[in-house]
Amino acid sequence: MAEQKRDYYEVLGVDKNADDAALKKAYRALAKKYHPDMNPGDAEAEKKFKEASEAYAILSDPEKRKQYDQFGHAAFDGGAGGGGFGGFDFNGTDFSDIFGDIFGDFFGGSRRSRGNSGPMKGANIRTSVRIAFEEAVFGVDKEIELTLKDECKTCHGNGAKPGTSPETCPKCGGKGQVVFTQQSFFGTVRNVQTCPDCNGTGKVIKEKCPDCHGSGYIASRKKIQVSIPAGIDNGQSVRIREKGEPGVNGGPRGDLLVEVIVGRHPIFQRQDYNIYSSVPISFAVAALGGEVVVDTVDGKVIYDVKAGTQTDTKVRLKGKGVPSLRNKEVRGDHYVTLVVQTPDKLSHEAKELLKQFDAVTGDSLNAAKNVETEKNTDGKESKKKKFWK
């Protein structure tokens, strides 16, 4: 009895709405995991590899996928898939980009469509800088120190001893790349990788410069001014053009990416372009209304509290938040939570006055006593039961 095939979507681990990119990503992961070259002698791995390859061959072809979605495996019985995945016909399926990447991973190379011995931009450098909360709100200029490479003045960046010159790499013929072939399940795969002798430059140095030791660059500590814009948030970066690694073969320098780390503030919290804080107010101010002092990033402001304000009331100070990165004239708001404070220490006189106040505003201090005894309908008094924890 023939082995029942698994659903192709299940094989690749994707849903039925997966796009081409999702299919390719899923198949590449499975192919890399189960490829026979990575699992020599493992029959189960080879079986899973062939199963994933068949699933990808069907689902990556729009017409075949349409047939499969409508009829399932029956769409290919007696046709392309009649022999099971062991005898599946892969003609017409392009695996070149996937297996080029995979073999590049296996052997430390990479797929490239052309030589890389021409000018190339240098790598970016990453660093970080710490700033205060207020500096993030209004912007600040900072000076950072880091190690940068500059062209060697002795050899003018070519890495060769004065009086000599770099020579064409004999291994790659100056192309910067070497080609090799690898036998795979699908036959011979042609792959291209960076030349290991010249590291892709196409040149080799026989006599190295005594100052830079053939690198063409001298590293030194430098101070860089970083202008941090108003409104920047924690984790965002500032890009400084052409302050990264030097380029190759006359290419431009890379960039310097400075990640901004914003310190915590004891009062303020930020969300997007809004600022949040809380302000304590006395019971008298909450009940009668009055002015309170509110700290903002712009300094102290006076806010008029309305009479009868309850605790946790939120008020909005328009335009007192963080400036927009695109337009510093546009700012968020500052939201303040008013918290009514209960005094924990009162003088004897204050206590007596508070008792008098309570007596004329509901007598809450005697609420329990007032319901402790009640008269029944027959006029007899009975004790009210007390419940407590």
Side-chain angles (χ1 to χ4, degrees):
M1 183 177 179
E3 182 181 355
Q4 186 176 2
K5 291 184 179 182
R6 288 200 298 155
D7 179 77
Y8 287 147
Y9 293 101
E10 179 186 344
V11 171
L12 295 182
V14 298
D15 60 44
K16 292 189 176 182
N17 296 321
D19 58 15
D20 291 342
L23 290 172
K24 183 178 291 187
K25 181 179 180 181
Y27 175 59
R28 187 181 187 278
L30 292 172
K32 187 174 181 180
K33 181 177 181 180
Y34 294 117
H35 195 282
D37 288 347
M38 295 297 288
N39 302 274
D42 189 337
E44 184 64 24
E46 182 177 353
K47 177 182 176 181
K48 290 182 178 180
F49 173 73
K50 293 178 180 179
E51 183 184 35
S53 298
E54 179 181 341
Y56 179 71
I58 293 295
L59 298 182
S60 63
D61 184 305
E63 186 60 33
K64 292 179 181 178
R65 183 175 182 178
K66 182 179 179 180
Q67 295 177 36
Y68 176 75
D69 289 343
Q70 186 172 3
F71 302 107
H73 294 294
F76 308 101
D77 288 345
F85 58 71
F88 186 79
D89 180 8
F90 294 97
N91 290 337
T93 305
D94 182 11
F95 292 92
S96 60
D97 58 341
I98 294 176
F99 284 100
D101 288 342
I102 291 176
F103 289 123
D105 290 342
F106 290 169
F107 299 102
S110 61
R111 295 177 70 251
R112 298 180 186 269
S113 59
R114 62 182 183 271
N116 64 345
S117 58
M120 291 190 299
K121 183 178 180 179
N124 294 334
I125 296 176
R126 294 181 178 272
T127 188
S128 62
V129 62
R130 294 182 178 274
I131 63 174
F133 186 92
E134 289 87 348
E135 291 176 331
V137 173
F138 297 110
V140 67
D141 289 333
K142 288 287 185 179
E143 184 179 79
I144 60 174
E145 186 175 355
L146 71 162
T147 300
L148 291 177
K149 295 178 182 177
D150 288 309
E151 183 181 282
C152 175
K153 296 181 179 180
T154 302
C155 66
H156 302 292
N158 65 17
K161 181 180 178 181
T164 67
S165 300
E167 301 176 5
T168 300
C169 175
K171 187 175 186 68
C172 66
K175 296 180 180 179
Q177 296 176 329
V178 290
V179 179
F180 66 93
T181 57
Q182 172 69 24
Q183 293 297 321
S184 76
F185 174 73
F186 297 98
T188 301
V189 177
R190 180 177 180 273
N191 197 39
V192 180
Q193 74 175 93
T194 301
C195 176
D197 288 7
C198 66
N199 295 319
T201 63
K203 301 287 185 180
V204 292
I205 301 173
K206 296 294 184 180
E207 297 184 69
K208 296 181 178 180
C209 171
D211 290 344
C212 66
H213 306 289
S215 69
Y217 305 102
I218 300 293
S220 62
R221 297 290 290 178
K222 289 191 174 184
K223 293 181 178 180
I224 303 293
Q225 293 292 325
V226 183
S227 181
I228 299 173
I232 198 165
D233 205 351
N234 184 56
Q236 292 181 322
S237 296
V238 175
R239 181 184 295 269
I240 304 177
R241 302 289 181 183
E242 297 191 358
K243 288 296 182 180
E245 292 286 337
V248 178
N249 293 334
R253 296 185 74 107
D255 300 331
L256 173 62
L257 302 175
V258 183
E259 181 185 6
V260 177
I261 302 174
V262 182
R264 289 182 175 272
H265 194 279
I267 299 175
F268 306 134
Q269 289 185 332
R270 174 179 175 176
Q271 184 175 342
D272 297 326
Y273 291 111
N274 296 323
I275 295 175
Y276 296 83
S277 69
S278 60
V279 173
I281 61 174
S282 68
F283 174 75
V285 170
L288 304 176
E291 295 179 339
V292 294
V293 178
V294 180
D295 287 314
T296 73
V297 291
D298 294 317
K300 297 182 183 297
V301 300
I302 303 298
Y303 180 78
D304 191 12
V305 178
K306 295 180 181 179
T309 293
Q310 303 298 309
T311 193
D312 289 337
T313 296
K314 289 181 173 58
V315 297
R316 174 190 178 196
L317 303 180
K318 188 175 181 180
K320 292 294 183 181
V322 180
S324 166
L325 276 172
R326 296 188 178 186
N327 183 359
K328 65 180 181 180
E329 300 301 323
V330 178
R331 296 179 59 175
D333 302 322
H334 185 157
Y335 292 90
V336 181
T337 301
L338 302 178
V339 181
V340 179
Q341 298 290 293
T342 302
D344 55 1
K345 293 181 180 180
L346 292 173
S347 66
H348 176 73
E349 181 181 5
K351 290 179 180 179
E352 291 301 319
L353 291 173
L354 190 56
K355 289 177 181 179
Q356 295 177 32
F357 167 79
D358 181 70
V360 297
T361 57
D363 198 21
S364 62
L365 292 174
N366 294 313
K369 292 180 181 179
N370 293 335
V371 298
E372 191 176 68
T373 59
E374 294 180 350
K375 289 189 176 182
N376 291 332
T377 55
D378 59 0
K380 294 181 180 180
E381 292 186 352
S382 62
K383 289 288 185 180
K384 185 79 171 180
K385 291 183 179 180
K386 295 183 180 179
F387 296 91
W388 62 85
K389 294 182 180 179

